[in-house]
């Protein structure tokens, strides 16, 4: 899903295939990368719930890129993501 002004979504994620791309390369172990990403998402999602966020509002989602490397994406409603950004910015060293 892309549109005007959303080019920033790919920054740092070059080569990450869209869900709709259907790109599967024979011989690539996508499951191992997904499992690693899934483990990271479970930890992040527990931390988000512990910080008072509802999973329906903001959550980490596991996927892989075309080489099988695990990728963690953050999905959420804009208001919840803004709250998360404010929380991160309020921590020591969090402000950019």
């Amino acid at each position: 899903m892309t549109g005007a002004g959303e080019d920033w979504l790919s920054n740092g994620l070059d080569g990450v295939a869209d869900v709709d791309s259907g790109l599967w390369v024979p011989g690539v172990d996508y499951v191992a990368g997904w499992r690693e990403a899934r483990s990271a998402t479970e930890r992040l999602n527990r931390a988000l719930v512990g910080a008072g966020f509802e999973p329906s509002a903001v959550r980490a989602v596991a996927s892989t890129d075309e080489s099988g490397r695990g990728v963690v994406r953050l999905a959420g409603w804009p208001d919840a993501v803004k709250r998360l950004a404010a929380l991160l910015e309020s921590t020591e060293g969090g402000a950019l």
Side-chain angles (χ1 to χ4, degrees), residues 59-94:
R59 67 188 175 285
V61 180
S63 64
T64 61
D65 66 9
E66 72 274 1
S67 68
R69 183 178 57 185
V71 175
V72 176
R73 300 171 192 239
L74 187 66
W77 297 110
D79 288 344
V81 173
K82 288 176 186 176
R83 277 187 40 227
L84 176 58
L87 177 65
L88 293 172
E89 290 167 349
S90 72
T91 65
E92 187 176 327

Side-chain angles (χ1 to χ4, degrees), residues 36-54:
E36 182 180 10
R38 180 67 180 163
S39 175
T41 63
E42 288 173 354
R43 182 177 178 188
L44 181 53
N45 285 330
R46 281 193 303 272
L48 289 167
V49 168
F53 291 92
E54 292 292 326

